[in-house]
Amino acid sequence: LSKILKMNILNDAWCLIGVSREDLYEGQTDSFVAGLAAGGSRIGVFSFCRYVPESVSDLSDEELSAFKINNNSRNKPRRKKKKNNNSTNNTNTFKNNPNLLQHSLLRRCCKILSHEILHTLAVGHCVYEECVMNGSGSLQEDYKQPIYLCLTDLRKIQLLLQCDVVERYEQLNNFFERFDFKGDSEW
């Protein structure tokens, strides 16, 4: 896959990213990897195969706070439903908010895509603060990571891409608001 991407990247492109619905493997001993990007190679690939949540209970506390959902509601013991009770338990279904499924998948994909794109630009894993560039050893760890950069990695991006940080955050805020990432927008 990396050979195909290398053959197709344009000289003036910052990077080229492939997207897959299938699991990715870096080696025979891997169970899977969410994304692959060699530092500074300008090419990468990510898979959203394992990023589709089945229910609200699959969302991490960090994800729930991004959508302003009560983190404690999914841990409360369930009461038995009465025959005429029309209420639904929104902790196990996306019925009450059909956009939540799409938006949580979008948010997860944005995080991994941002992470892998930054790797293609030679930005390594962050060890300073909570950051989208933190490494992760599991999907649960990955889901808990924030969507934003720490100040150290933000400065790297500012120097690499010569971007206006205020304009970047205004555009990010517009995106967050558009897709109901309320907690991220308030951040």
Side-chain angles (χ1 to χ4, degrees):
L1 187 56
S2 63
K3 290 177 187 176
I4 294 169
L5 290 173
K6 275 187 181 184
M7 291 182 339
N8 289 293
I9 189 167
L10 301 175
N11 290 334
D12 63 345
W14 283 339
C15 66
L16 179 63
I17 299 290
V19 178
S20 173
R21 294 187 320 188
E22 302 297 324
D23 272 333
L24 302 173
Y25 303 92
E26 192 169 16
Q28 291 181 347
T29 59
D30 281 339
S31 56
F32 72 94
V33 292
L36 295 166
S41 68
R42 298 177 45 230
I43 61 163
V45 64
F46 89 96
S47 167
F48 61 87
C49 176
R50 296 177 186 242
Y51 278 62
V52 180
E54 303 262 334
S55 70
V56 175
S57 62
D58 288 344
L59 301 178
S60 71
D61 288 345
E62 199 275 336
E63 291 172 306
L64 290 171
S65 82
F67 295 108
K68 291 294 192 178
I69 296 172
N70 182 352
N71 298 17
N72 297 324
S73 65
R74 65 182 176 170
N75 296 326
K76 291 180 181 175
R78 293 184 194 166
R79 294 182 183 166
K80 290 183 181 179
K81 288 186 179 181
K82 295 178 183 174
K83 285 184 179 179
N84 294 331
N85 186 355
N86 293 328
S87 68
T88 55
N89 182 349
N90 71 346
T91 62
N92 290 322
T93 181
F94 287 108
K95 281 183 186 175
N96 294 345
N97 186 348
N99 289 332
L100 184 58
L101 172 63
Q102 291 176 312
H103 291 184
S104 32
L105 175 60
L106 175 64
R107 187 173 184 278
R108 287 176 175 185
C109 289
C110 285
K111 283 176 30 177
I112 188 67
L113 185 59
S114 299
H115 182 98
E116 296 307 326
I117 286 173
L118 292 174
H119 278 324
T120 69
L121 299 173
V123 176
H125 285 143
C126 181
V127 296
Y128 305 107
E129 299 176 50
E130 287 188 353
C131 175
V132 74
M133 288 308 296
N134 293 138
S136 63
S138 69
L139 286 173
Q140 289 71 29
E141 235 179 77
D142 184 34
Y143 300 156
K144 290 177 185 176
Q145 293 172 348
I147 197 168
Y148 51 82
L149 290 167
C150 70
L151 293 176
T152 303
D153 286 327
L154 177 62
R155 180 67 176 149
K156 291 175 188 177
I157 296 312
Q158 184 183 26
L159 293 172
L160 277 168
L161 304 179
Q162 301 296 305
C163 67
D164 180 322
V165 174
V166 173
E167 181 182 338
R168 177 184 183 275
Y169 276 102
E170 287 171 349
Q171 290 174 354
L172 276 174
N173 189 54
N174 291 339
F175 179 83
F176 293 157
E177 287 178 353
R178 179 177 174 200
F179 292 101
D180 295 327
F181 299 0
K182 295 173 184 134
D184 294 321
S185 178
E186 289 175 4
W187 177 84

